[in-house]
Amino acid sequence: MSHKELEQSDIELFRESVGKVKPIANDRADPGLPRPVPVPIQAQLHEQEALQDLMSDRYDPAALDLGDEISFLRPGLQNNILRKLKRGHYSVVAALDLHGLTVPKAKQAVITFLQDARQSQKQCVRIIHGKGLRSSNAGPILKPMVAKWLSQRQEVLAYCTARPMDGGSGAIYVLLKK
């Protein structure tokens, strides 16, 4: 068999194996196919980093000494927002109770709660951290930690101690970005 005959027999064998084919009009991807959903990798990395930062917190009562009343207002916002939050002008639409949780579990619960509230477009929520009456002589543990965690979250515009009817110094109102 010559070289040309071998090539011709290979071509015939290939065509028999493949069968009848239809040539394509163009080599571009089908524009009718749905595009893949984008994955927010940077946002996921940021959340993982924030979670690691939060989980590494150590409790130092001296560094986190807070009185009965706590409040926070993101820089650049009007004081009127915090005043309205303290007076109960915003409707609390969800609550999280941290009683009985350890610091790491409470931190994860707060992160998840804030993410869920933000995704469901809830603007004002309440976090019940307790008054720390059953803590040792060092005082409340979760209260100052929750305040620290909330201050680190960009979606938190403001927070303040709840009114007595909503838990007083054992709870806080949190105002989230819309």
Side-chain angles (χ1 to χ4, degrees):
M1 244 189 202
S2 71
H3 186 60
K4 280 230 181 232
E5 290 174 343
L6 181 63
E7 285 181 2
Q8 187 61 30
S9 67
D10 287 342
I11 292 171
E12 289 172 8
L13 180 63
F14 173 77
R15 294 208 186 269
E16 286 176 22
S17 299
V18 172
K20 197 168 188 169
V21 294
K22 177 183 168 189
I24 58 173
N26 65 40
D27 60 352
R28 295 190 179 156
D30 185 3
L33 294 177
R35 292 182 177 256
V37 177
V39 178
I41 294 173
Q42 192 60 41
Q44 291 172 346
L45 291 173
H46 182 267
E47 286 299 324
Q48 287 176 352
E49 183 181 311
L51 179 60
Q52 288 174 349
D53 287 347
L54 292 175
M55 298 308 267
S56 67
D57 287 338
R58 298 288 181 255
Y59 177 65
D60 180 6
L64 299 170
D65 185 30
L66 299 171
D68 282 344
E69 300 282 323
I70 59 174
S71 65
F72 167 82
L73 180 65
R74 184 131 333 260
L77 297 178
Q78 296 178 357
N79 290 333
N80 192 31
I81 292 173
L82 185 58
R83 191 175 315 115
K84 285 181 178 180
L85 186 61
K86 286 180 179 182
R87 292 180 181 169
H89 286 260
Y90 296 97
S91 295
V92 175
V93 292
L96 171 67
D97 190 346
L98 301 175
H99 280 104
L101 297 181
T102 61
V103 171
K105 287 184 179 181
K107 187 173 190 177
Q108 182 57 49
V110 168
I111 292 169
T112 303
F113 178 68
L114 292 176
Q115 289 172 340
D116 292 346
R118 184 80 196 273
Q119 286 177 350
S120 56
Q121 299 180 352
K122 295 176 180 168
Q123 189 177 15
C124 186
V125 297
R126 179 175 50 141
I127 298 177
I128 304 162
H129 47 67
K131 296 181 181 183
L133 298 177
R134 286 183 256 164
S135 296
S136 64
N137 292 340
I141 295 173
L142 287 181
K143 180 178 181 174
M145 296 304 290
V146 169
K148 179 182 177 185
W149 301 332
L150 293 175
S151 300
Q152 295 171 339
R153 304 291 300 190
Q154 291 300 313
E155 67 265 33
V156 175
L157 297 177
Y159 62 79
C160 68
T161 300
R163 296 182 300 163
M165 63 194 281
D166 286 330
S169 63
I172 54 175
Y173 300 132
V174 182
L175 188 64
L176 302 170
K177 286 182 182 178
K178 287 185 179 179

